[in-house]
């Protein structure tokens, strides 16, 4: 009887909380979700993210490309966000981040890589064209997401419309300070950005959100167990049908139902596990 239960599909896909013992093992879970998608659908459209949290995810994807032939040649990518007014060559631009951590090592076709243009002469128009291009390629199959301490996804800071599309946003002072580590000092961090909207993110077929460390614990708890609110933008993911929240133990520190999440994950049949 028990084995029948264990072998049955669990169906727990809506907001699946996967707690791992280290950022590296969490990154491996995320990369294997992406790898499975690419193998099943080589033309998959990936929504990509930047930030320190994503570095081990890209390391693992690069390893899978090199060692296991994971082939990105027919995939397309759309990044979440970019600073306004920062040259794409600036080492802290997200264009530079993506080259440094991912694109230079893998075989995504350059004409299928999309990153918001923070230097367009007409940024609002470039934002509309970005949305058009996503639609033209059939929509995003899987969106990778980090989360800010304030609960932002992409650069959708608290109070962002839950229906928003790609547009210009002003960063909070908290985010400016958090990102100053990539710039040297907060004064150099651009105040304005282009970001996919929350509505754009919610249109993707699957969302994979990662968070590491105790500093993210409150935002993670609000995302998974708090009320849905524009004051904590990531909480809108409770309305999405297919979300994996992949975190390390310290980031799970303020969740109340960790035993249940572990129980669900441990009870998944092998074919539904991501490692
Ligand atoms: P981080 O940023 O991965 O550098 O912590 C995440 C975010 O702000 O979305």
């Amino acid at each position: 009887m028990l084995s029948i239960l264990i072998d049955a599909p669990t169906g727990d896909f809506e907001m699946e909380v996967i707690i791992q013992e280290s950022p590296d093992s969490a990154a491996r879970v995320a990369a294997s979700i992406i790898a499975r998608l690419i193998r099943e659908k080589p033309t998959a459209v990936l929504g990509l993210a930047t930030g320190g949290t994503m570095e081990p995810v890209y390391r693992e994807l690069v390893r899978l490309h090199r060692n296991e032939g994971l082939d990105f040649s027919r995939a397309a990518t759309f990044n979440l966000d970019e600073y306004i007014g920062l040259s794409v060559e600036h080492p802290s631009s997200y264009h530079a981040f993506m080259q440094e951590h991912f694109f230079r090592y893998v075989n995504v076709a350059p004409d299928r890589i999309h990153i918001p243009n923070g230097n367009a002469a007409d940024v609002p128009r470039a934002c509309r064209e970005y949305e058009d291009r996503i639609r033209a390629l059939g929509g995003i199959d899987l969106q990778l997401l980090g989360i800010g301490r304030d609960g932002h996804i992409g650069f959708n800071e608290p109070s962002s419309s839950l229906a928003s599309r790609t547009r210009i946003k002003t960063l909070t002072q908290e985010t400016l300070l958090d990102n100053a580590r990539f710039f040297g000092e907060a004064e150099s961090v651009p105040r304005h950005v282009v970001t996919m909207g929350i509505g754009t993110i919610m249109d993707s077929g699957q969302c994979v959100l990662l968070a590491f460390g105790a500093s993210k614990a409150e935002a993670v708890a609000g995302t998974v167990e708090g009320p849905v609110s524009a004051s904590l933008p990531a909480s809108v993911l409770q309305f999405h049908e297919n979300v994996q929240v992949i975190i390390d133990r310290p980031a799970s520190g303020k969740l109340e139902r960790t035993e249940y999440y572990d129980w669900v994950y441990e009870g998944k049949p092998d074919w539904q596990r991501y490692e």
Side-chain angles (χ1 to χ4, degrees):
M1 186 63 193
L2 190 60
S3 72
I4 291 171
L5 280 177
I6 288 172
D7 287 343
T10 61
D12 287 284
F13 273 126
E14 50 271 24
M15 193 180 260
E16 193 178 10
V17 181
I18 302 171
I19 304 167
Q20 296 285 297
E21 295 313 318
S22 69
D24 278 346
S25 62
R28 277 196 297 277
V29 171
S32 78
I33 293 173
I34 294 169
R36 185 182 291 190
L37 171 66
I38 296 281
R39 289 188 179 116
E40 280 170 7
K41 183 180 178 186
T43 57
V45 178
L46 301 176
L48 299 181
T50 51
T53 309
M54 295 301 142
E55 292 179 17
V57 179
Y58 293 128
R59 262 201 304 278
E60 178 63 10
L61 286 172
V62 168
R63 193 192 67 76
L64 290 172
H65 172 69
R66 282 189 179 150
N67 298 355
E68 296 180 24
L70 186 64
D71 179 13
F72 294 93
S73 62
R74 297 171 64 204
T77 68
F78 286 89
N79 265 78
L80 280 168
D81 44 21
E82 178 57 287
Y83 294 104
I84 288 185
L86 205 60
S87 132
V88 296
E89 274 96 42
H90 190 289
S92 302
S93 75
Y94 289 162
H95 280 76
F97 178 101
M98 290 307 300
Q99 282 304 326
E100 183 189 339
H101 293 282
F102 190 51
F103 291 134
R104 65 198 274 215
Y105 300 114
V106 297
N107 62 340
V108 185
D111 63 344
R112 293 172 71 78
I113 292 173
H114 307 85
I115 302 177
N117 182 356
N119 293 299
D122 183 344
V123 176
R125 182 183 166 149
C127 292
R128 287 192 297 277
E129 288 170 355
Y130 203 67
E131 292 273 334
D132 291 344
R133 180 78 177 140
I134 292 173
R135 263 191 298 276
L137 292 187
I140 292 170
D141 292 295
L142 182 151
Q143 179 66 57
L144 262 179
L145 297 167
I147 183 170
R149 288 188 298 130
D150 60 4
H152 68 221
I153 44 176
F155 271 138
N156 294 284
E157 298 285 32
S159 79
S160 289
S161 161
L162 299 182
S164 50
R165 312 303 306 188
T166 303
R167 70 209 184 292
I168 299 172
K169 278 300 284 181
T170 305
L171 296 181
T172 61
Q173 283 169 316
E174 182 180 58
T175 302
L176 279 183
L177 290 175
D178 280 349
N179 289 2
R181 68 188 197 277
F182 298 112
F183 283 83
E185 51 179 14
E187 285 71 42
S188 328
V189 186
R191 188 183 291 209
H192 297 106
V193 295
V194 177
T195 181
M196 273 187 207
I198 297 178
T200 323
I201 293 168
M202 289 295 284
D203 282 350
S204 59
Q206 178 176 7
C207 292
V208 176
L209 182 146
L210 291 106
F212 306 141
S215 68
K216 301 286 177 75
E218 204 158 323
V220 167
T223 298
V224 177
E225 296 175 348
V228 174
S229 165
S231 296
L232 193 93
S235 64
V236 74
L237 294 170
Q238 292 174 34
F239 278 117
H240 199 286
E241 288 185 311
N242 189 353
V243 181
Q244 285 74 41
V245 175
I246 309 174
I247 53 182
D248 65 358
R249 280 283 154 205
S252 77
K254 298 221 157 125
L255 287 167
E256 286 184 359
R257 286 187 279 275
T258 50
E259 277 182 27
Y260 176 65
Y261 308 136
D262 287 344
W263 163 255
V264 171
Y265 195 62
E266 283 158 15
K268 282 167 88 73
D270 281 350
W271 65 271
Q272 272 192 353
R273 299 177 77 87
Y274 303 118
E275 299 97 300

